[in-house]
Amino acid sequence: MFDGLQDIDWASMHHAYGTAGEVPALLWALRSPDAEERHKALDRFYGAVHHQGSVYPPTAASLPFLAELAADGATPERAAVVALLVSIGRESLDRGFEDDGTEIEYYPPMGCARAVAFLRERGALFAEFAFDPDPDVRLAAIPGLGLFLDDADRAAAVLRERLAAEEGIAARLRIVEAAATLALRVPTASQQVMDWLARLAADPARGPVTRLAAVVQRTRCAPDEIGEDVVTAAVGLLRESARTLPVRPIAPAPSRPAAPTDTVAPQIVAAFEDLDRHTRVYAPTTALLRTFHDVLGTGCHKRTVVLAEQLASPDPASRLDAVRMSGELMRTWRGDHTHLLLLLADQLTTADEAAAAEAAAVLESCHPIAVPVREALAARIDA
């Protein structure tokens, strides 16, 4: 295990907080039988060696040992290690290369190109992980098929096979997303993937969430082909999904240890609490719908049609996430947002306090254009 680990001069490399001499100990700790030791090591790795997605030379140098951990059945919580591999690779692609594939030069040098090269050379490893008995490992590995496996035919075949076998919504959403990622990365695979997504979207035997994912991801592959029929199809599948997905109360935020008020300024604590609140996701389809809104871009009318359906969902978690997306649209793009403002005002009378409070916060943040809902706000206050 870890042959060559000590041959690397880790102390000569640096991560976010200084020398990388601690990396070997972190790697060994990821294999520890003690859960607390593993979790501390993983937190430290994300916090320093892969700080906010950065890929430093020691991050890239760690990949062979992380891959060894992920492939070893004796490693506890292998899914977390696979997820770390995928995160390093994805961030390396996003930060290290231009859209045309040109490498971005950093000073001091980063480890993005080295990380991508390593993971592409071992892309087949993610195909193996996709058939792992552990469902968490399979789930973590699926994005790697789209990002790193250069054998496009094999990647597409594995994704089709996994879609037929996986029953969980999270896995199916990731499989369809990985297929679109593959099509965008490997032009020779584009047509076969898009044809498959089109068949999925039209297949009544598939669940509505899977079909919705196929519509969205195919649109992501060909944004220049967006028409009203795409939005109509997405809205219809959203409505069908709302009828099939269970309606659950909004899950409370995970408890976190309180920040020491004697060492951290109250405004800093409040800022981080606000950031945590705004980045929290409640509904399983929210990431997919964010992708759809990103692809629709400046098409405010199309996006408003989709948001109207999201805001009509019987699921409070879906409505809460839709309220936030509505605020993002109105704060980002100019247009006549009267209809969307009125829909948000309707949320003020919902029985769900979290959605109502979020709607009020969004309306306050958009107050220069919120005149059309002034009477609704006044009525809510009176009530």
Side-chain angles (χ1 to χ4, degrees):
M1 174 63 72
F2 292 168
D3 289 342
L5 180 65
Q6 298 305 324
D7 297 335
I8 298 173
D9 187 3
W10 297 98
S12 69
M13 294 185 281
H14 291 77
H15 54 46
Y17 296 109
T19 177
E22 66 180 309
V23 170
L26 295 178
L27 292 168
W28 279 112
L30 291 175
R31 190 180 164 81
S32 170
D34 183 83
E36 184 176 356
E37 184 178 355
R38 292 195 306 272
H39 295 165
K40 285 182 178 179
L42 189 64
D43 285 346
R44 179 62 180 173
F45 202 101
Y46 272 106
V49 190
H50 188 35
H51 176 69
Q52 296 182 350
S54 296
V55 180
Y56 307 99
T59 321
S62 301
L63 287 174
F65 310 107
L66 291 172
E68 190 176 355
L69 280 170
D72 187 352
T75 300
E77 298 182 270
R78 292 169 54 233
V81 181
V82 175
L84 178 57
L85 285 168
V86 170
S87 177
I88 292 171
R90 179 186 285 115
E91 293 292 343
S92 295
L93 287 166
D94 289 346
R95 296 169 184 243
F97 298 87
E98 303 283 5
D99 291 341
D100 62 0
T102 305
E103 182 181 349
I104 299 172
E105 294 186 10
Y106 288 96
Y107 187 81
M110 303 294 278
C112 298
R114 180 180 174 184
V116 171
F118 176 87
L119 291 169
R120 290 270 168 83
E121 288 171 3
R122 291 159 181 80
L125 193 61
F126 294 94
E128 296 174 16
F129 291 151
F131 291 94
D132 197 90
D134 185 341
D136 291 333
V137 171
R138 297 198 303 270
L139 186 66
I142 287 167
L145 295 168
L147 291 165
F148 311 124
L149 184 53
D150 286 332
D151 185 342
D153 289 338
R154 184 182 180 191
V158 171
L159 290 168
R160 289 193 298 268
E161 188 171 347
R162 294 320 307 160
L163 187 69
E166 296 288 352
E167 297 182 355
I169 288 177
R172 292 185 176 189
L173 290 175
R174 286 198 187 186
I175 290 166
V176 178
E177 180 184 9
T181 300
L182 177 68
L184 291 167
R185 181 173 66 87
V186 185
T188 56
S190 178
Q191 195 58 55
Q192 67 158 311
V193 170
M194 289 178 62
D195 289 345
W196 179 55
L197 293 176
R199 291 194 300 272
L200 278 180
D203 186 355
R206 299 285 181 178
V209 175
T210 301
R211 294 175 63 196
L212 175 63
V215 169
V216 171
Q217 298 298 345
R218 192 187 184 287
T219 304
R220 178 181 159 217
C221 293
D224 55 331
E225 298 178 12
I226 297 174
E228 291 296 338
D229 58 327
V230 172
V231 175
T232 301
V235 166
L237 290 167
L238 257 176
R239 192 169 299 161
E240 191 176 344
S241 299
R243 291 196 296 265
T244 58
L245 291 175
V247 175
R248 298 172 181 167
I250 294 174
S255 59
R256 300 177 183 273
T261 55
D262 55 336
T263 57
V264 181
Q267 63 268 29
I268 300 297
V269 175
F272 274 96
E273 288 177 349
D274 192 54
L275 178 64
D276 177 66
R277 182 172 64 87
H278 281 287
T279 56
R280 200 175 302 135
V281 173
Y282 293 95
T285 55
T286 293
L288 174 68
L289 292 168
R290 282 192 178 280
T291 296
F292 195 36
H293 284 289
D294 287 344
V295 174
L296 293 175
T298 60
C300 290
H301 170 68
K302 293 183 176 71
R303 293 178 65 179
T304 297
V305 171
V306 177
L307 285 166
E309 189 61 36
Q310 292 177 246
L311 290 167
S313 172
D315 178 46
S318 297
R319 292 200 310 274
L320 177 54
D321 289 339
V323 166
R324 291 176 177 172
M325 289 188 223
S326 300
E328 292 163 11
L329 173 62
M330 292 188 293
R331 288 189 294 266
T332 304
W333 298 106
R334 292 181 179 178
D336 183 358
H337 296 303
T338 301
H339 181 52
L340 197 51
L341 287 163
L342 292 171
L343 291 173
L344 286 179
D346 289 342
Q347 297 298 315
L348 298 174
T349 58
T350 181
D352 186 83
E353 292 290 337
E358 193 64 34
V362 168
L363 290 171
E364 191 279 332
S365 71
C366 298
H367 70 271
I369 61 171
V371 172
V373 297
R374 179 165 49 187
E375 298 302 324
L377 283 169
R380 175 61 172 164
I381 292 169
D382 289 341

